[in-house]
Amino acid sequence: MDIDEKKLGEYYANPPEDISLADVDLERIPHHVSIIMDGNGRWAQARGLDRSEGHVAGVDSLREAVTTSVRLGLDVLSVYAFSTENWRRPQHEVDLLMHLFATTLLNELPLFHQENVQLRFFGDIDALPKETADVFREGLAQTADHTGMTFALAVNYGSRAEIARAARELASEVAAGTLRPEDIDESVISSRLYTAGLPDPELLIRTSGEMRLSNYLLWQLAYTEFYVTPTLWPDFSRWDFLRAVKAFQGRHRRFGGVTER
Ligand code: IPE
Ligand code: IPE
Ligand code: MG
């Protein structure tokens, strides 16, 4: 996406000591950044608050991450908001999150219109509570003709479930005689995943210091650069985003070969 350098400069005014916009190469911003937004509960507990307060605070970080991504000219920002395993949490926490997703999305629709952001979901959103599913479908409809950055929210997403679903779909097409097994290659499989048509993430950020994928984008992250920060999600700012991009730009990506690129 195009970068509006004037807006970007204003957005990154008043830098802290260790990082500034000049530290990143605007020609080499990753096209797709994905974030595992983790640590809301610990952020709240450290303040003697209920875990739910951490989720509420995390919404501000997410809004900032969306704006940062637009300003930096990303094509795609995707974020992991709720996994297929998160249903194991206490019912009141699940209920709060589902309600928070719905209200947040409604509140943020003006931002998506203003910034021309197209919304997308990874995961089975039909299985969500009706209030949430309805708002999500409304968000899809309202942003369908937007041509700017894609913002993908992974909700009720699990990578193994995603791959199993793709396998079922392909198997039924083979059974129906519309697909030949020998035609199933990597691109065919990619085209049946929730990320169909999107470039794989070049950079994955996980907050709160956890060094695991938690069932996120197992196929798509095959050659992604990982950046783990101890910062908890509600504390993650535009500057942390810049630190991650800077770290990414310092990596040598070899893709199995022996030279860079
Ligand atoms: C991430 O924060 C948000 C969701 C998984 C919905 P957590 O709720 O996992 O926070 P911690 O990991 O318990 O601190
Ligand atoms: C991963 O975080 C899922 C999301 C951030 C939505 P979790 O907090 O659920 O992951 P684990 O349980 O620590 O692996
Ligand atoms: Mg967590």
Side-chain angles (χ1 to χ4, degrees):
M1 292 288 149
D2 292 336
I3 296 179
D4 182 329
E5 296 210 15
K6 184 164 175 284
K7 276 191 187 169
L8 180 63
E10 285 165 7
Y11 187 70
Y12 273 113
N14 308 316
E17 268 177 19
D18 67 306
I19 184 92
S20 79
L21 192 55
D23 292 322
V24 304
D25 179 353
L26 296 182
E27 304 283 315
R28 291 171 53 233
I29 299 291
H31 297 280
H32 181 176
V33 175
S34 198
I35 307 179
I36 301 177
M37 307 182 291
D38 199 10
N40 293 351
R42 278 163 281 170
W43 181 92
Q45 276 153 3
R47 286 162 179 73
L49 303 169
D50 189 72
R51 291 177 56 83
S52 61
E53 302 287 338
H55 298 315
V56 171
V59 171
D60 293 333
S61 293
L62 180 53
R63 184 184 310 107
E64 180 154 330
V66 170
T67 305
T68 303
S69 301
V70 171
R71 292 286 166 270
L72 286 173
L74 265 63
D75 294 323
V76 186
L77 172 71
S78 54
V79 300
Y80 202 10
F82 193 91
S83 72
T84 46
E85 288 71 38
N86 287 146
W87 297 108
R88 293 179 189 148
R89 294 188 177 202
Q91 190 61 43
H92 66 90
E93 183 172 346
V94 170
D95 291 345
L96 174 116
L97 283 166
M98 290 299 149
H99 183 63
L100 192 62
F101 294 148
T103 52
T104 300
L105 195 67
L106 272 183
N107 286 339
E108 300 309 326
L109 277 175
L111 174 69
F112 298 157
H113 287 301
Q114 184 193 310
E115 301 292 354
N116 196 21
V117 170
Q118 187 174 76
L119 187 63
R120 186 159 168 164
F121 293 98
F122 300 162
D124 183 6
I125 66 167
D126 293 330
L128 298 176
K130 188 174 182 311
E131 180 205 22
T132 311
D134 285 349
V135 171
F136 282 11
R137 285 189 208 100
E138 178 65 24
L140 284 175
Q142 283 200 30
T143 64
D145 62 352
H146 289 177
T147 53
M149 186 183 80
T150 296
F151 170 56
L153 193 60
V155 175
N156 193 19
Y157 174 85
S159 191
R160 289 182 170 185
E162 173 185 45
I163 292 169
R165 173 178 168 270
R168 271 195 307 278
E169 217 181 86
L170 294 172
S172 46
E173 287 173 38
V174 169
T178 54
L179 180 70
R180 297 184 309 169
E182 57 271 34
D183 290 335
I184 300 176
D185 59 12
E186 294 181 13
S187 70
V188 168
I189 293 175
S190 292
S191 74
R192 306 308 166 102
L193 303 178
Y194 291 116
T195 46
L198 300 178
D200 287 339
E202 287 120 298
L203 170 62
L204 173 79
I205 299 170
R206 183 163 187 158
T207 56
S208 87
E210 305 296 354
M211 304 266 185
R212 56 177 171 264
L213 285 180
S214 304
N215 200 12
Y216 190 53
L217 302 181
L218 302 180
W219 172 276
Q220 298 87 339
L221 296 176
Y223 263 107
T224 302
E225 296 296 327
F226 290 7
Y227 177 85
V228 174
T229 170
T231 301
L232 304 174
W233 178 247
D235 292 326
F236 190 86
S237 70
R238 67 191 73 183
W239 303 105
D240 295 301
F241 204 118
L242 214 52
R243 289 181 186 103
V245 170
K246 183 185 175 194
F248 167 80
Q249 291 184 342
R251 303 275 177 89
H252 295 281
R253 305 188 76 195
R254 283 181 285 276
F255 301 100
V258 287
T259 51
E260 196 183 354
R261 259 176 250 245

